[in-house]
Amino acid sequence: MASQITPVQVKKIACIGAGYVGGPTCSMIAHKCPHIQVTIVDVNADRINAWNSDTLPIYEPGLEEIVKACRGKNLFFDTDIDKAIVEADLIFVSVNTPTKKSGVGAGYAADLFYVELCTRRIASVATSSKIVVEKSTVPCRTAQSMRTILEANSRPGLRFDILSNPEFLAEGTAINDLAHPDRVLIGSLGTPEGRAAQASLVDVYANWVPREKCITTGLWSSELTKLAANAILAQRISSINALSAICEVTGADVDEVAYACGLDSRIGPKFLKSSVGFGGSCFQKDILNLVYLSESLHLPEVADYWRQVITMNEYQKRRFAQTVVSSMFNTITNKKLAVLGFAFKKDTGDTRETPSATVCRFFRQESAKISVYDPKVPEKQIFLDLTEPGVVDDSEQVKKQVTVCKSAMEACTGAEGICVLTEWDEFKTLDWSAIYASMAKPAMVFDGRGILDADKLREIGFKVFSIGKGVNL
Ligand code: UDX
Ligand code: ADP
């Protein structure tokens, strides 16, 4: 065909943004493609230094091995963003896109400030044509804006082909998700140049992902799919959490209901685990994004539909905290409560939108004494998350009410109640008899993740509440 263009063979990749998405994704590309040089850059020099040190800036099982095997060979971490842009054939844009805090769309829309800054940088320093890949989660049609910026600000004669290649990895399992993805999605403008760029990126992934799993679509479908996939996953959790409230009143068991529903192959078993609520950097942000998009498109019913997924999540966190208070004779003032787990899920030190922070804030308002233990979240981060921004002296007040402990045992000693808020495996095998012996009585456990053996704990003497299991404290 006359209009077919030979795809560029990618030899050098730059990744702008060394965070949870860019870091693991491009480390995996370096690991699987020894013939490609991958340079990950960031404006944050501390973060880059950490990537170059023995203590990586993010905890992710299996990541350290990959980074150590490739670093200095075909994987580099650097602050020289311009050099990486100039040298690369293909650039991943993996910068953060937080929810806007002010202005139009505040609280809903994604802030594209960093994406725009980074796109302008690419335009001003590039001396050759590039494939630019949006990896950050962005609102639909961002690729179009990136393209306009690039075309308006670059040297004459250069081509920029924009692709959308959303990331579906989940924290804690990122390395496995990257090594064995269900699918890789690559969106492009349907032009011959766009298709050629798409083929170049497929060739990179094809080094380890079967080609039939590399799905190629239009740009807008790809951008919308990222929001849609996260919204649908979060919706399943809110659905089962809504049912957990019914279970608690009727005596049905939410795990039995989820199991029986999940056996229907049309439904499937995943993402039906009832919990204290979902957290993480994506679900809430992406749904808010979808709500904003729906409203901008004058589709208020659609916006309301998705907004309800978040409303249910807020309700679930509040409901859990209220159950703790009502079970503890309607007051937790000055009572010691142990909080086991602060990360938004196990096997990560990430606390973004963690339900644990919401529940702890509620306990603070009720004047409880809180002792928190998490195997991976640093003390500094816990205090940061629990301090209300802009409230003078709040950090002093947090320190009076909250203690961060080095072990679960330390957190639980002398407590009147224990709340399990992250599903860390180590909580299942704690010496619960020793914990019971150390606690004020009646000793209560509130399992917000459904991971403990409630019958065994009751045998020891605990009063146990598990999400969706009927309140029989
Ligand atoms: C999610 C998506 O899974 C991933 O594809 C996307 O790229 C980014 O967002 P992540 O936020 O890392 O990944 O974690 P995920 O495993 O999806 O969990 C999100 C939250 O839902 C966690 O707080 C988790 O504890 C909670 N969850 C998950 C439940 O409460 N019940 C479940 O059944 C599953
Ligand atoms: P994500 O979870 O999406 O990866 P993170 O916040 O973990 O988000 O990572 C995004 C990274 O992008 C941060 O380390 C931030 O410093 C970096 N970053 C943001 N803007 C730029 C920019 N213009 N140039 C280079 N790096 C940037």
Side-chain angles (χ1 to χ4, degrees):
M1 268 191 293
S3 61
Q4 246 187 8
I5 296 174
T6 314
V8 170
Q9 211 201 338
V10 176
K11 295 195 189 73
K12 289 192 179 177
I13 291 179
C15 171
I16 307 182
Y20 283 91
V21 171
T25 308
C26 288
S27 296
M28 180 59 75
I29 292 178
H31 176 59
K32 297 289 187 183
C33 312
H35 56 286
I36 297 179
Q37 181 184 309
V38 179
T39 306
I40 305 180
V41 290
D42 203 295
V43 280
N44 182 338
D46 289 343
R47 216 165 202 186
I48 291 297
N49 289 339
W51 280 108
N52 281 319
S53 76
D54 280 340
T55 314
L56 301 187
I58 60 177
Y59 171 70
E60 193 60 64
L63 176 64
E64 196 173 304
E65 288 82 346
I66 288 182
V67 170
K68 286 190 174 160
C70 304
R71 202 169 51 191
K73 293 185 184 129
N74 69 327
L75 175 63
F76 301 90
F77 296 92
D78 211 323
T79 48
D80 194 340
I81 299 172
D82 292 357
K83 180 164 170 272
I85 292 173
V86 168
E87 289 182 352
D89 318 302
L90 182 147
I91 302 171
F92 283 111
V93 175
S94 312
V95 300
N96 35 337
T97 50
T99 305
K100 276 183 82 172
K101 290 208 170 73
S102 58
V104 179
Y108 286 90
D111 191 340
L112 293 179
F113 176 75
Y114 302 103
V115 172
E116 180 171 340
L117 210 67
C118 171
T119 310
R120 287 186 183 277
R121 193 84 218 145
I122 297 171
S124 71
V125 304
T127 50
S128 59
S129 297
K130 313 279 175 202
I131 300 172
V132 178
V133 186
E134 66 177 22
K135 204 135 217 12
S136 318
T137 308
V138 290
C140 298
R141 305 208 161 220
T142 302
Q144 183 61 51
S145 315
M146 289 170 76
R147 191 162 166 241
T148 310
I149 292 172
L150 286 166
E151 283 174 359
N153 294 284
S154 57
R155 294 166 206 215
L158 299 191
R159 279 196 53 77
F160 292 96
D161 289 302
I162 315 276
L163 299 175
S164 155
N165 174 217
E167 192 48 76
F168 295 109
L169 65 80
E171 287 175 33
T173 54
I175 297 304
N176 187 56
D177 297 344
L178 286 164
H180 310 285
D182 287 344
R183 78 309 205 180
V184 168
L185 178 59
I186 305 174
S188 78
L189 278 181
T191 58
E193 293 84 359
R195 289 223 174 86
Q198 210 167 24
S200 296
L201 187 54
V202 169
D203 284 343
V204 172
Y205 282 107
N207 283 290
W208 79 97
V209 181
R211 280 184 186 270
E212 65 274 16
K213 288 195 174 179
C214 296
I215 311 298
T216 52
T217 66
L219 272 178
W220 319 140
S221 301
S222 172
E223 289 177 333
L224 183 60
T225 298
K226 170 71 181 189
L227 299 185
N230 278 341
I232 292 169
L233 288 170
Q235 179 203 43
R236 285 172 67 95
I237 303 170
S238 276
S239 297
I240 200 71
N241 282 344
L243 292 165
S244 77
I246 298 180
C247 290
E248 284 165 28
V249 183
T250 57
D253 179 320
V254 76
D255 284 340
E256 289 177 353
V257 173
Y259 178 69
C261 287
L263 285 176
D264 185 326
S265 60
R266 293 168 303 175
I267 297 174
K270 294 182 183 166
F271 275 72
L272 284 180
K273 179 72 186 160
S274 181
S275 68
V276 60
F278 60 73
S281 67
C282 289
F283 282 179
Q284 175 159 320
K285 187 181 89 174
D286 290 354
I287 293 173
L288 289 173
N289 234 309
L290 202 53
V291 169
Y292 184 71
L293 176 73
S294 311
E295 273 170 356
S296 326
L297 298 171
H298 307 294
L299 302 168
E301 288 83 358
V302 180
D304 286 347
Y305 176 78
W306 289 111
R307 195 184 278 113
Q308 190 58 26
V309 174
I310 297 200
T311 305
M312 183 52 61
N313 198 45
E314 292 304 315
Y315 168 70
Q316 187 76 347
K317 292 184 273 187
R318 201 171 58 242
R319 207 169 65 77
F320 178 87
Q322 279 164 350
T323 302
V324 173
V325 177
S326 62
S327 308
M328 298 183 81
F329 317 108
N330 289 315
T331 177
I332 54 170
T333 302
N334 282 328
K335 288 182 180 170
K336 178 173 172 180
L337 286 178
V339 165
L340 299 187
F342 200 78
F344 80 95
K345 63 190 273 198
K346 73 171 181 177
D347 292 339
T348 176
D350 194 353
T351 62
R352 288 179 288 181
E353 306 298 339
T354 180
S356 202
T358 314
V359 171
C360 285
R361 260 187 237 120
F362 185 96
F363 291 163
R364 271 195 67 202
Q365 281 160 10
E366 295 290 323
S367 306
K369 300 272 181 217
I370 310 163
S371 38
V372 185
Y373 166 69
D374 188 284
K376 282 291 168 203
V377 181
E379 178 170 335
K380 207 169 87 189
Q381 186 63 46
I382 295 176
F383 282 124
L384 201 67
D385 288 333
L386 293 183
T387 304
E388 296 297 334
V391 180
V392 184
D393 294 339
D394 193 46
S395 64
E396 291 309 309
Q397 188 55 34
V398 174
K399 288 201 170 120
K400 282 190 194 143
Q401 270 185 279
V402 180
T403 316
V404 176
C405 301
K406 298 251 173 310
S407 71
M409 189 69 210
E410 185 191 335
C412 296
T413 301
E416 295 184 45
I418 299 175
C419 302
V420 176
L421 299 184
T422 311
E423 71 280 24
W424 287 102
D425 289 335
E426 67 173 72
F427 300 154
K428 296 181 196 165
T429 53
L430 295 174
D431 185 347
W432 285 101
S433 297
I435 289 176
Y436 181 75
S438 80
M439 286 176 69
K441 309 294 181 309
M444 300 188 189
V445 173
F446 302 89
D447 184 359
R449 293 292 185 166
I451 56 164
L452 302 178
D453 184 339
D455 290 341
K456 228 168 154 180
L457 292 179
R458 287 195 184 102
E459 270 171 34
I460 295 172
F462 283 107
K463 295 198 171 296
V464 185
F465 164 77
S466 308
I467 290 261
K469 302 270 184 176
V471 183
N472 52 0
L473 276 168

